[in-house]
């Protein structure tokens, strides 16, 4: 791939995602906002073939489309342009499936086709009520009893937990070992001892409905341990290094949508006998933010390209997400400012974009944690 060229198959996937989102997602956004729920029929269209957008990156032998992280990055940007909650819906499939890729060949062949071909939703459950950024501080435990693990603990802010049929979770198998005692499991939602707690209600991203998930002496077969015992935190962190790239692409899509609305309004709105864009106080911030968006896109797509080449992208993915989050916040602020009072009214999309942006930037690592990841990469600390 040259610096400014995406492969033809990635461009085609990007085009299909954009056409689908414009036709199927865009008309349902008002309903999603009102009900705080993505309609079941839309979820089915997103997750099942021939669309199955969550399957974009995974190898064909596991039911995926074989387009790698670069392909999914392109798709994620187009979905998020029209709706952030739908962007999260496909992102959790990428997140959970990427975790399962650390499993055995048998596990990959058992679980990944359920995600990629059967349209089953897998939710990723790492965060707990008392810890988010400090992933090693989890208190959920998994103890061995015979041929099973018995899992107990509470996960928090789990997106689409109500729709999920499976959870990929972290739990401590050897609490005395701290970070080196954490393991990764696939847990079927219908298992005894699994229940949803309270629904959380963030100010933005309506439709993605995060929940508490409670595991009360939940028994899972030993075969559901992903990879090796005690290496779960490493698997999870390496998964985040991968998935922060496509998450950042979602930010790009939402930022692009906000700028498009600002540009459209600046062309149509008149003030003092001129179009708004003729005033530098309006046009200059838009121009500056558009340049920032293009710079962020180059970094995001470069990180995806490097990942698919087999490079360690811990630094690049953190930089991409951190920069994309800053550009997103800047874009929605510029959009609201351009529209003035109209930008704060629910009937105008930019009000939604603003709420979505402020809610979404904390996913998969706060901006501060991302800066810490980059600084450690620069100075050689915290290598895994």
């Amino acid at each position: 791939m040259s610096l400014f060229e995406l492969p033809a198959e990635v461009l085609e996937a990007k085009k299909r995602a954009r056409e689908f989102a414009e036709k199927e997602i865009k008309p349902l956004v008002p309903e999603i906002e009102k009900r705080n729920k993505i309609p079941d029929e839309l979820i089915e269209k997103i997750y099942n073939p021939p669309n199955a957008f969550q399957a974009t990156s995974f190898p064909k032998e596991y039911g995926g489309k074989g387009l790698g992280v670069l392909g999914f990055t392109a798709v994620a940007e187009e979905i998020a342009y029209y709706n952030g909650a739908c962007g999260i819906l496909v992102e959790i499939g990428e997140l959970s499936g990427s975790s399962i890729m650390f499993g055995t060949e048998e596990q990959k062949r058992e679980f990944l086709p359920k995600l990629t071909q059967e349209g089953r939703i897998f939710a990723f459950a790492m965060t707990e009520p008392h810890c988010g950024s400090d992933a090693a501080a989890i208190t959920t435990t998994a103890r061995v009893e015979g041929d099973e693990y018995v899992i107990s603990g509470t996960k928090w802010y789990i997106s689409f937990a109500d729709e999920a049929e499976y959870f990929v979770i972290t739990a401590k198998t050897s609490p005395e070992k701290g970070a080196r005692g954490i393991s990764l499991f696939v847990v079927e939602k219908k298992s005894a001892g699994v229940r949803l707690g309270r629904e959380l209600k963030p100010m933005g991203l309506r439709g993605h409905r995060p929940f508490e998930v409670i595991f009360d002496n939940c028994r899972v077969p030993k075969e559901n341990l992903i990879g090796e015992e005690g290496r779960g935190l490493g698997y999870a962190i390496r998964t985040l290094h991968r998935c922060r790239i496509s998450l950042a692409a979602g930010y790009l899509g939402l930022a692009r949508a906000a700028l498009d609305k600002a540009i459209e309004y600046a062309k149509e709105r008149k003030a003092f006998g001129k179009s708004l864009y003729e005033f530098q106080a309006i046009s200059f911030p838009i121009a500056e933010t558009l340049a920032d968006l293009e710079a962020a896109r180059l970094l995001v797509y470069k990180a995806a390209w490097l990942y698919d080449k087999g490079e360690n992208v811990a630094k690049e993915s953190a930089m991409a997400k951190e920069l994309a989050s800053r550009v997103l916040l800047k874009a929605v602020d510029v959009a609201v400012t351009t529209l003035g009072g109209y930008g704060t009214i629910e009937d105008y999309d930019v009000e939604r974009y603003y709420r979505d942006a402020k809610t979404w930037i904390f996913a998969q690592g706060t901006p501060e944690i991302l800066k810490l990841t980059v600084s450690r990469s620069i100075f050689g600390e915290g290598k895994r």
Side-chain angles (χ1 to χ4, degrees):
M1 186 187 80
S2 66
L3 186 58
F4 301 105
E5 182 180 83
L6 293 175
E9 62 270 22
V10 170
L11 288 173
E12 179 60 27
K14 185 178 178 72
K15 177 176 178 285
R16 288 198 306 269
R18 179 170 60 250
E19 291 172 348
F20 173 88
E22 185 169 13
K23 178 182 177 182
E24 302 289 350
I25 295 176
K26 182 180 178 181
L28 294 176
V29 169
E31 179 183 347
I32 293 170
E33 286 292 298
K34 182 178 180 180
R35 295 180 54 209
N36 189 27
K37 173 78 168 64
I38 299 176
D40 291 340
E41 59 272 20
L42 179 56
I43 293 176
E44 290 178 5
K45 289 179 181 179
I46 290 173
Y47 254 69
N48 285 281
N51 300 312
F53 296 113
Q54 78 289 349
T56 300
S57 75
F58 299 112
K60 291 181 179 180
E61 59 263 37
Y62 306 123
K65 299 180 181 179
L67 295 180
V69 173
L70 185 63
F72 185 71
T73 294
V75 166
E77 181 178 352
E78 297 305 323
I79 298 292
Y81 179 91
Y82 290 95
N83 184 256
C86 290
I88 293 176
L89 178 62
V90 295
E91 180 65 32
I92 64 167
E94 172 75 1
L95 191 59
S96 299
S98 299
S99 301
I100 294 169
M101 286 294 291
F102 289 103
T104 65
E105 185 64 23
E106 291 76 17
Q107 288 172 330
K108 287 184 279 191
R109 292 194 179 280
E110 177 183 358
F111 293 118
L112 285 176
K114 296 181 188 300
L115 171 69
T116 58
Q117 291 291 304
E118 298 177 22
R120 310 289 184 89
I121 295 177
F122 284 65
F124 190 74
M126 188 172 177
T127 301
E128 297 189 0
H130 62 285
C131 66
S133 298
D134 187 2
I138 64 169
T139 59
T140 297
T141 59
R143 68 180 190 275
V144 175
E145 285 191 8
D147 293 330
E148 298 176 315
Y149 282 94
V150 182
I151 300 175
S152 295
T154 299
K155 297 296 183 179
W156 189 79
Y157 213 99
I158 309 306
S159 297
F160 292 101
D162 56 331
E163 302 285 353
E165 294 184 57
Y166 296 86
F167 297 105
V168 177
I169 78 164
T170 52
K172 285 187 173 176
T173 45
S174 300
E176 72 281 359
K177 294 182 180 179
R180 296 184 182 277
I182 295 174
S183 300
L184 199 64
F185 298 89
V186 174
V187 180
E188 198 166 0
K189 185 179 179 181
K190 67 181 183 181
S191 301
V194 180
R195 61 185 174 88
L196 298 186
R198 65 192 178 105
E199 179 185 347
L200 308 175
K201 296 182 180 180
M203 69 177 184
L205 296 170
R206 291 174 186 167
H208 95 288
R209 299 173 66 179
F211 284 81
E212 277 186 325
V213 183
I214 299 164
F215 300 89
D216 184 8
N217 291 313
C218 167
R219 293 179 175 272
V220 299
K222 279 187 174 180
E223 292 76 19
N224 285 32
L225 168 71
I226 297 297
E228 298 179 27
E229 190 174 289
R231 298 188 63 185
L233 184 58
Y235 298 151
I237 290 174
R238 287 161 66 188
T239 295
L240 293 178
H241 292 165
R242 167 179 173 148
C243 294
R244 283 169 177 163
I245 301 169
S246 49
L247 181 62
Y251 296 173
L252 299 179
L254 187 56
R256 199 178 87 219
L259 281 179
D260 283 351
K261 289 295 182 182
I263 293 168
E264 177 185 333
Y265 189 83
K267 288 179 178 179
E268 294 177 351
R269 182 76 170 183
K270 303 286 186 180
F272 307 104
K274 296 181 179 181
S275 297
L276 282 188
Y277 73 84
E278 297 182 73
F279 296 93
Q280 292 180 355
I282 297 297
S283 61
F284 278 20
I286 292 174
E288 180 183 283
T289 308
L290 183 60
D292 291 342
L293 176 60
E294 289 301 314
R297 179 177 287 109
L298 284 174
L299 182 55
V300 170
Y301 279 77
K302 178 186 176 183
W305 177 62
L306 288 172
Y307 184 93
D308 287 342
K309 287 180 64 182
E311 301 287 337
N312 182 343
V313 295
K315 180 178 71 174
E316 287 78 7
S317 65
M319 289 193 301
K321 182 180 178 297
E322 195 278 329
L323 177 58
S325 67
R326 275 191 281 133
V327 172
L328 172 56
L329 291 179
K330 186 175 181 179
V332 296
D333 186 66
V334 165
V336 170
T337 300
T338 300
L339 270 70
Y342 289 107
T344 68
I345 297 173
E346 285 191 2
D347 290 345
Y348 288 76
D349 287 332
V350 296
E351 183 270 343
R352 168 169 59 90
Y353 298 154
Y354 191 90
R355 287 186 289 103
D356 287 357
K358 293 294 287 186
T359 303
W360 206 0
I361 63 165
F362 301 109
Q364 297 185 34
T366 66
E368 293 73 23
I369 288 295
L370 298 173
K371 291 173 186 177
L372 181 62
T373 299
V374 174
S375 65
R376 283 177 171 175
S377 295
I378 293 170
F379 298 109
E381 299 177 8
K383 290 182 179 178
R384 293 190 177 276

